[in-house]
Amino acid sequence: MLSTLKSPPCIITCAITGATSRQMNSNVPITPTEQARAIERAFQAGARVAHVHPREDDGRQSHRPERYQEVLYEIKSRCPEIIVEISTRATSMKDGIDRGSCVELTPKLWGNDDRLKPDLVSLNTGTLNLRDRIFLNSPLDIELQARRIYNAGIVPELDVFEIGQMENAFELVRKGVLQKPINFLFVLGSGGISADPANLLHFVRSLPPGTHWTGLGAGRYNFPIASLAIHLGGHVRTGLEDTTYIRKGIKAKSNAQLVEQMAQLCELYGRPIATPQEARQLLGLAPLIEVRNQKSEVRSKILAG
Ligand code: ZN
């Protein structure tokens, strides 16, 4: 069901780093402190979700548990209102089991205190050819990942790169593995389905009523696909992971600049930007006041210890 006549709140996600190198854009944040600062500024510009790939100081993608700990701590100390999503997407790791191990970091690192965990984790819904690599996600792995995410008290975002991957997600809904509200991310022009507007329409028409979704066009399709998503009542994503340019031929100065432009687009289409509280409610997360209290307790506990 399309909702072109409504103006529901729009959630802007900022994907701050991804696989973008300093050669591609010198402003990409790398260290935990840089990432947290970038997220704080993006939040002030209107971002409500931060999509995060931890990096080592030399720029390499990091899967070290200690690095996840550092990044989460930095982000949540500096910007407690932001919803933090960590990515499990990495073709360099051999299968979905390894990729998903980050969802179980919190119990390992913080004992039984699960309050400094990510709010969202990306759950890939199918296998995909990505350039010369195979991004492997078997149906069994996807189900296992979904169960691990819920068991860790985190909410999954269902990342979809091809229309057939929707069926894998629907099957998990039928089996009762995926719990409402269901949050989809449709990725167009990034190795899977092309960024043709008709493809986004097809995705959206396939959804059951009440499903939340975000439209993401990669690279030069970032803002065109976002425009359509905003018009159709969906949510949007931008950031230096998704596009290194603010407009044709001009590199983005920061993640915040991209978010500012996305916020202007929302305003142009008459879509209010979701408040932090609204965003949490829409995505099925605990209310903000509860999280704030928990975080301040955790922070003082850590500083005292
Ligand atoms: Zn990512």
Side-chain angles (χ1 to χ4, degrees):
M1 180 69 73
L2 305 182
S3 54
T4 53
L5 298 179
K6 297 177 184 172
S7 296
C10 183
I11 300 171
I12 302 174
T13 294
C14 187
I16 55 166
T17 302
T20 300
S21 66
R22 283 266 158 89
Q23 288 72 37
M24 295 160 75
N25 188 307
S26 59
N27 302 308
V28 70
I30 303 289
T31 67
T33 304
E34 288 172 355
Q35 293 195 338
R37 283 184 180 149
I39 286 168
E40 186 179 35
R41 288 196 285 268
F43 174 78
Q44 288 161 355
R48 295 297 172 251
V49 179
H51 174 82
V52 178
H53 293 247
R55 295 273 194 96
E56 299 295 344
D57 286 345
D58 63 7
R60 283 177 298 125
Q61 296 274 355
S62 178
H63 298 283
R64 281 192 305 122
E66 296 78 10
R67 199 59 165 179
Y68 277 87
Q69 172 185 307
E70 276 180 74
V71 171
L72 283 166
Y73 180 77
E74 285 283 341
I75 294 169
K76 295 199 172 196
S77 298
R78 190 174 283 272
C79 190
E81 293 91 349
I82 198 83
I83 296 164
V84 181
E85 177 186 73
I86 55 174
S87 173
T88 57
R89 184 182 178 192
T91 51
S92 60
M93 299 178 78
K94 67 180 188 302
D95 61 29
I97 308 296
D98 284 350
R99 277 198 305 272
S101 60
C102 57
V103 306
E104 291 171 350
L105 290 177
T106 303
K108 285 179 192 165
L109 293 173
W110 300 87
N112 292 323
D113 188 345
D114 65 353
R115 290 173 285 184
L116 270 184
K117 65 190 178 204
D119 303 289
L120 299 172
V121 170
S122 56
L123 175 65
N124 300 287
T125 55
T127 296
L128 184 75
N129 289 337
L130 277 180
R131 290 174 284 281
D132 59 343
R133 292 180 176 176
I134 298 173
F135 182 39
L136 195 60
N137 296 285
S138 73
L140 203 59
D141 283 348
I142 299 165
E143 182 173 339
L144 181 62
Q145 290 281 32
R147 292 186 189 279
R148 291 172 91 186
I149 291 169
Y150 284 119
N151 286 342
I154 308 170
V155 172
E157 175 197 73
L158 309 179
D159 292 5
V160 176
F161 294 79
E162 294 281 8
I163 191 73
Q165 295 179 352
M166 298 278 284
E167 295 306 318
N168 295 334
F170 292 151
E171 176 62 16
L172 291 182
V173 173
R174 283 191 287 271
K175 287 173 80 170
V177 176
L178 293 179
Q179 300 159 20
K180 291 183 179 177
I182 307 292
N183 308 306
F184 277 103
L185 173 71
F186 300 132
V187 186
L188 296 92
S190 182
I193 202 163
S194 69
D196 188 319
N199 289 335
L200 182 61
L201 282 170
H202 190 45
F203 275 131
V204 176
R205 285 183 175 130
S206 307
L207 292 173
T211 308
H212 297 287
W213 61 275
T214 299
L216 165 60
R220 63 194 173 99
Y221 304 109
N222 191 236
F223 285 98
I225 288 294
S227 302
L228 184 56
I230 292 168
H231 179 55
L232 295 175
H235 306 297
V236 291
R237 192 178 110 168
T238 189
L240 290 172
E241 171 173 348
D242 301 331
T243 176
T244 53
Y245 290 85
I246 187 75
R247 56 182 65 87
K248 189 174 181 181
I250 303 175
K251 297 254 176 143
K253 291 178 186 168
S254 65
N255 280 288
Q257 188 191 27
L258 291 165
V259 173
E260 274 169 25
Q261 185 160 285
M262 199 62 88
Q264 289 165 2
L265 211 51
C266 288
E267 190 180 354
L268 198 64
Y269 281 80
R271 289 283 304 279
I273 295 170
T275 65
Q277 200 73 274
E278 285 171 334
R280 299 190 74 86
Q281 188 181 8
L282 288 167
L283 296 172
L285 299 169
L288 193 59
I289 187 73
E290 190 182 325
V291 173
R292 271 184 180 152
N293 288 341
Q294 287 176 349
K295 278 178 189 154
S296 58
E297 284 168 26
V298 171
R299 199 181 308 169
S300 52
K301 185 176 161 188
I302 291 165
L303 292 175

